[in-house]
């Protein structure tokens, strides 16, 4: 088990350091615009207060002022403050919507140098929801978009990359952190430098590099004595915890964890420290507390997503109803003109009648479309709420039930049973996190119109690697691979997105197949010669007639009792089309289901 700091605390604090705090590099130049300084002070004042309305008013004034002054960078910085505020209060759905609106505004104003703002914020939102792969992708993209003539804008991106990498790619995390430190030192950032050195101690702790922990600690304490008010105390307790563990002072390290204001960090540190000290019983208890606190945060995030999605659907429905009423008024207005038109000369009457009839037909078509949209919005809303209720309640009930069992001191439970219970709790927790990730994933993909295709892959090798994640042992079906492509055949595409789609299709096949075979095939498309196909064929229950396209709609489920929220296939198709291909159902196959991922050869 490795230590991972709660993402939200570090990422938001890092961005605020470069966007708001007066000690930062961005504010070392004396501010001559007193009104701008006053407006920024108002933003800072309300950011940490529980007064959402006042904060939004402050950010709106800040944005409006700098837009009038044609200071576009500060204008979008004001927008960033608001998104960070929403993130800090677990309003991730709201934050993503505002980020999408901000990027649309950037396109409208052709503010190309500011694109990295929105890209960076998307990475933050995904990282805080646990989708580190997508977060890493957006952070890397932000590094490409940022204006390297302004190197200080690179610092928070490097820091965020280091934060999400320190568990799985510790060397990369340290490399990105050192990039940030180099820029900070070159620009004389005293406050930021102390923050970065503190983070270096934390990453070294995650790496079990006790020598670097001691070196970073000594440098951090030296800065404390020399920087005065420019010294950052944000991670003071964290650094001291790492130092005490490095010196084997475990009791003192545990005492310091209780001083942390974030309970998630407290229990995660304690789990790690007890494990290092060899006290597995206390480590287990700390892990149990950590899981409970983390689940509570996940529940808040899930509630926010559900409310946000439901509100969007309700808004769409109200707009449709309003359009229906407007169309009806127009229809009756047009009918009222018919008697008047009949009093005109015959030729004029005939011409007007034709024109009005055509308009009425058009209005009727629009009215029918609006009515259909209203019905569809209502259906989507009901499906979404039903899916969320079932998919979230089930794992929550499992977690709650097993937590009560495993925490009962009088329960006679063997080690094997405890391990199984812990595994079930972890699996249920992951199910809830995956639901949030799916919703955020498809929300992010809706705002992207093109996906990079610069990965050169071997088709057969990539497909076989995906199959390694699936096991047919003890199942009623067998999984196999076949290909008419040569092993040397290569394809230029986006490897990560392609693998996600194949994972999704294979997961569905395993979910709906009880007996027979599941086959992953690679071949050239006989009809579309410029396409390569990856098909997943199963002998499961198949797709009923009339549902061939419905399965690609958001939140639609063939079987309401199966796991999932109905977003996998819509997301797979959208991503495939963004890569120039498609995901389709082979309607000529009737022994089960066959889904085909088509990707362009070039």
């Amino acid at each position: 088990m490795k230590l991972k700091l709660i993402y939200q605390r570090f990422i938001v604090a890092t961005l605020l350091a470069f966007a708001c705090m007066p000690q930062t590099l961005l504010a070392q130049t004396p501010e001559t615009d007193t009104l701008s300084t006053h407006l920024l002070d108002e933003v800072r004042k309300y950011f940490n207060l529980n007064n959402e309305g006042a904060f939004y008013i402050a950010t709106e004034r800040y944005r409006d002022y700098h837009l009038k002054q044609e200071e576009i960078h500060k204008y979008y910085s004001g927008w960033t403050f608001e998104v960070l505020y929403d993130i800090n209060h677990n309003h991730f759905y709201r934050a993503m919507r505002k980020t999408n609106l901000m990027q649309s505004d950037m396109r409208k104003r052709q503010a190309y140098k500011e694109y990295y703002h929105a890209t960076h914020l998307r990475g933050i939102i995904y990282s805080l929801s646990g989708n580190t792969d997508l977060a890493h992708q957006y952070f890397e993209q932000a590094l490409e978009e940022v204006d390297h003539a302004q190197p200080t804008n690179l610092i928070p991106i490097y820091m965020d990359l280091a934060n999400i990498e320190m568990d799985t790619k510790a060397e990369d995390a340290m490399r990105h952190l050192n990039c940030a430190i180099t820029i900070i030192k070159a620009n004389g950032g005293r406050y930021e430098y102390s923050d970065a050195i503190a983070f270096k101690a934390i990453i070294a702790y995650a790496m079990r590099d006790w020598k670097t922990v001691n070196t970073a600690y000594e440098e951090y304490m030296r800065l404390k004595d020399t920087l005065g008010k420019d010294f950052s105390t944000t991670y003071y307790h964290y650094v001291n915890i790492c130092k005490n563990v490095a010196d084997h002072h475990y009791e003192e390290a545990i005492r310091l964890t209780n001083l942390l204001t974030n309970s998630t960090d407290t229990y995660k540190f304690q789990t790690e420290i007890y494990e290092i000290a060899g006290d597995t019983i206390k480590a287990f208890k700390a892990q149990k507390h950590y899981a409970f606190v983390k689940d509570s945060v996940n529940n808040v995030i899930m509630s926010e997503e559900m409310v946000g999605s439901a509100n969007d659907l309700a808004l769409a429905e109200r707009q449709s109803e309003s359009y229906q009423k407007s169309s009806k008024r127009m229809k009756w207005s047009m009918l009222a003109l018919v008697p008047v038109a009949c009093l005109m000369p015959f030729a004029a009457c005939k011409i007007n009648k034709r024109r009005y009839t055509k308009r009425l037909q058009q209005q009727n078509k629009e009215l029918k479309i609006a009515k259909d949209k209203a019905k569809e919005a209502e259906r989507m809303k009901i499906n979404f709420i039903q899916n969320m209720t079932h998919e979230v309640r089930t794992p929550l009930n499992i977690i709650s039930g097993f937590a009560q069992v495993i925490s009962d001191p009088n329960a006679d439970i063997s080690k094997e049973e405890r391990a199984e219970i812990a595994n079930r709790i972890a699996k249920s927790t992951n199910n809830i996190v995956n639901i949030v990730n799916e919703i955020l994933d498809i929300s992010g993909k809706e705002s992207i119109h093109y996906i990079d295709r610069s990965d050169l892959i071997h088709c057969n090798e990539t497909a076989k690697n995906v199959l390694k994640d699936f096991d047919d042992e003890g199942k009623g079906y067998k999984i196999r691979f076949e290909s008419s492509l040569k092993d040397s055949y290569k394809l230029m595409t986006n490897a990560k997105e392609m693998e996600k789609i194949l994972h999704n299709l294979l997961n569905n096949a395993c979910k709906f197949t009880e007996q027979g075979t599941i086959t992953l095939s690679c071949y050239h498309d006989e009809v579309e010669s410029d396409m390569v196909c990856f098909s997943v064929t199963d002998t499961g229950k198949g797709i009923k007639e009339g549902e061939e396209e419905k399965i690609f709609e958001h939140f639609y489920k063939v079987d309401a009792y199966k796991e999932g929220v109905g977003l996998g296939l819509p997301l797979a198709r959208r991503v495939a089309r963004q890569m120039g291909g498609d995901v389709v159902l082979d309607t000529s196959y009737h022994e089960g289901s066959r889904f085909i991922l088509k990707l362009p050869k070039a």
Side-chain angles (χ1 to χ4, degrees):
M1 189 193 318
K2 289 227 179 182
L3 175 72
K4 180 182 288 185
L5 283 176
I6 185 77
Y7 289 139
Q8 184 166 343
R9 178 177 173 80
F10 191 83
I11 290 179
V12 173
T14 301
L15 270 180
L16 286 177
F18 292 91
C20 287
M21 297 301 293
Q23 299 98 327
T24 61
L25 303 174
L26 302 182
Q28 284 184 355
T29 302
E31 180 65 75
T32 57
D33 189 339
T34 55
L35 181 54
S36 175
T37 302
H38 171 73
L39 293 172
L40 185 56
D41 286 341
E42 286 292 298
V43 173
R44 294 171 183 150
K45 171 185 174 182
Y46 290 111
F47 187 89
N48 293 312
L49 298 179
N50 191 23
N51 191 336
E52 183 178 278
F55 176 77
Y56 289 153
I57 291 173
T59 54
E60 184 177 1
R61 288 173 177 170
Y62 183 85
R63 288 200 307 270
D64 289 346
Y65 174 77
H66 288 292
L67 184 60
K68 291 177 181 177
Q69 300 297 315
E70 297 184 353
E71 295 175 323
I72 295 299
H73 182 78
K74 289 186 177 180
Y75 167 68
Y76 288 118
S77 292
W79 212 320
T80 301
F81 300 155
E82 195 165 311
V83 174
L84 291 176
Y85 181 88
D86 291 336
I87 292 173
N88 211 33
H89 290 77
N90 291 324
H91 298 315
F92 293 97
Y93 185 87
R94 188 189 303 176
M96 182 62 82
R97 287 197 60 188
K98 288 180 181 177
T99 302
N100 292 339
L101 289 172
M102 179 168 68
Q103 189 172 55
S104 298
D105 188 84
M106 289 172 178
R107 292 195 191 99
K108 177 183 175 182
R109 302 182 191 281
Q110 297 183 344
Y112 305 118
K113 290 186 177 181
E114 305 298 326
Y115 275 16
Y116 79 95
H117 272 304
T119 305
H120 187 194
L121 287 172
R122 282 199 182 91
I124 293 171
I125 294 169
Y126 283 118
S127 69
L128 299 183
S129 67
N131 193 337
T132 54
D133 287 340
L134 200 55
H136 195 280
Q137 177 181 325
Y138 277 110
F139 288 149
E140 291 284 2
Q141 183 180 335
L143 285 178
E144 295 176 3
E145 292 176 346
V146 73
D147 183 4
H148 285 243
Q150 300 292 328
T152 54
N153 294 333
L154 293 164
I155 299 172
I157 306 175
Y158 279 132
M159 300 278 267
D160 292 342
L161 271 170
N163 194 36
I164 65 172
E165 290 171 339
M166 68 176 174
D167 279 356
T168 57
K169 301 177 181 179
E171 291 78 10
D172 288 345
M174 191 64 81
R175 178 171 57 84
H176 283 126
L177 177 62
N178 286 333
C179 288
I181 290 175
T182 300
I183 298 173
I184 292 170
K185 291 173 70 175
N187 288 271
R190 294 154 61 86
Y191 184 91
E192 297 79 6
Y193 182 63
S194 59
D195 242 355
I197 292 300
F199 192 28
K200 190 166 189 174
I202 295 167
I203 294 178
Y205 176 91
M207 298 170 66
R208 303 296 186 269
D209 182 353
W210 306 122
K211 181 179 180 181
T212 303
V213 169
N214 287 320
T215 303
Y217 173 81
E218 291 172 4
E219 174 68 2
Y220 190 65
M221 290 299 110
R222 184 189 68 80
L223 295 172
K224 178 176 179 293
D225 294 334
T226 58
L227 292 185
K229 66 177 182 179
D230 289 336
F231 176 74
S232 170
T233 60
T234 305
Y235 302 103
Y236 184 80
H237 290 316
Y238 290 82
V239 175
N240 278 281
I241 291 170
C242 296
K243 170 62 175 173
N244 276 281
V245 175
D247 293 341
H248 308 293
H249 299 155
Y250 303 126
E251 290 186 5
E252 176 62 13
I254 291 295
R255 186 190 70 81
L256 290 172
T257 63
N258 292 316
L259 300 179
L260 301 179
T261 58
N262 188 299
S263 57
T264 308
D265 289 355
T266 296
Y267 293 124
K268 200 159 182 62
F269 259 117
Q270 289 182 359
T271 302
E272 180 75 4
I273 295 167
Y274 284 130
E275 187 179 28
I276 293 173
D279 192 337
T280 55
I281 295 176
K282 289 184 178 180
F284 174 76
K285 290 181 179 179
Q287 177 68 21
K288 184 171 64 174
H289 287 303
Y290 167 72
F292 176 78
V293 173
K294 188 177 180 182
D295 287 344
S296 299
V297 174
N298 287 339
N299 289 339
V300 171
I301 295 173
M302 174 57 70
S303 299
E304 166 70 14
E305 302 301 320
M306 290 178 65
V307 171
S309 298
N311 288 342
D312 277 356
L313 291 171
L315 177 61
E317 183 179 358
R318 288 196 298 271
Q319 290 175 340
S320 296
E321 290 175 352
S322 176
Y323 189 78
Q324 287 184 54
K325 292 177 181 179
S326 175
S327 298
K328 286 181 179 179
R329 288 196 297 269
M330 178 65 74
K331 177 179 178 180
W332 289 112
S333 297
M334 298 304 297
L335 288 172
L337 292 174
V338 173
V340 178
C342 292
L343 299 176
M344 296 179 179
F346 178 75
C349 179
K350 189 173 182 179
I351 294 171
N352 288 339
K353 181 179 179 181
R354 186 183 297 118
R355 184 171 68 249
Y356 293 144
T357 300
K358 187 175 181 180
R359 285 188 184 179
L360 284 173
Q361 290 174 344
Q362 181 63 30
Q363 291 295 328
N364 285 333
K365 288 181 181 179
E366 293 177 356
L367 181 60
K368 185 178 183 304
I369 292 171
K371 183 179 179 181
D372 291 342
K373 286 183 177 180
K375 289 182 177 179
E376 180 65 12
E378 178 65 21
R379 184 187 68 78
M380 287 179 65
K381 181 172 69 175
I382 293 173
N383 284 350
F384 177 75
I385 294 174
Q386 288 176 342
N387 289 343
M388 290 298 101
T389 300
H390 172 73
E391 294 300 326
V392 176
R393 182 182 294 167
T394 301
L396 282 179
N397 286 339
I398 292 173
I399 294 170
S400 176
F402 280 128
Q404 292 177 25
V405 172
I406 205 169
S407 62
D408 185 357
N410 299 319
D412 184 14
I413 305 174
S414 66
K415 289 183 178 180
E416 292 75 13
E417 289 173 327
R418 285 185 180 274
E420 176 62 21
I421 289 174
N423 183 56
R424 292 288 298 277
I425 291 175
K427 182 179 178 182
S428 298
T429 302
N430 289 334
N431 285 342
I432 295 175
V433 173
N434 288 337
I435 291 172
V436 177
N437 287 343
E438 278 192 349
I439 295 172
L440 288 176
D441 206 9
I442 200 163
S443 175
K445 291 297 190 300
E446 291 289 344
S447 62
I448 298 175
H449 300 288
Y450 174 78
I451 291 179
D452 178 64
R453 293 189 290 122
S454 59
D455 299 328
L456 187 61
I457 66 164
H458 288 84
C459 293
N460 290 344
E461 180 183 351
T462 301
K464 290 177 183 177
N465 286 337
V466 172
L467 278 181
K468 290 179 181 178
D469 295 332
F470 295 87
D471 182 17
D472 57 12
E473 185 176 353
K475 308 290 177 61
Y477 55 78
K478 293 294 181 183
I479 299 177
R480 65 187 187 186
F481 172 77
E482 60 184 28
S483 175
S484 62
L485 305 178
K486 294 181 179 180
D487 287 341
S488 60
Y489 188 84
K490 297 179 182 179
L491 180 69
M492 188 71 75
T493 186
N494 187 301
K496 186 179 295 184
E497 297 296 346
M498 171 191 164
E499 290 173 0
K500 282 184 181 179
I501 294 173
L502 291 181
H503 263 97
N504 186 289
L505 299 181
L506 285 165
N507 272 326
N508 281 348
C510 293
K511 190 188 303 181
F512 292 101
T513 304
E514 296 180 357
Q515 299 289 332
T517 58
I518 297 173
T519 306
L520 174 58
S521 307
C522 306
Y523 53 91
H524 291 290
D525 195 316
E526 296 179 358
V527 179
E528 299 177 82
S529 59
D530 60 339
M531 290 286 179
V532 175
C533 295
F534 301 83
S535 68
V536 176
T537 305
D538 63 57
T539 55
K541 63 188 296 183
I543 305 299
K544 294 180 182 178
E545 185 177 354
E547 294 185 337
E548 292 88 348
E549 286 301 314
K550 287 184 179 180
I551 56 176
F552 291 102
E553 297 175 3
H554 294 171
F555 310 118
Y556 187 86
K557 296 178 65 175
V558 173
D559 187 342
Y561 296 97
K562 293 289 186 180
E563 288 184 0
V565 293
L567 290 175
L569 285 175
L571 180 60
R573 169 172 277 188
R574 181 169 185 85
V575 172
R577 289 179 174 178
Q578 289 168 343
M579 293 193 295
D582 204 352
V583 171
V584 298
L585 173 69
D586 183 357
T587 56
S588 65
Y589 177 74
H590 302 293
E591 303 300 321
S593 301
R594 176 181 291 143
F595 287 91
I596 305 172
L597 166 62
K598 298 184 177 183
L599 293 175
K601 293 181 181 178

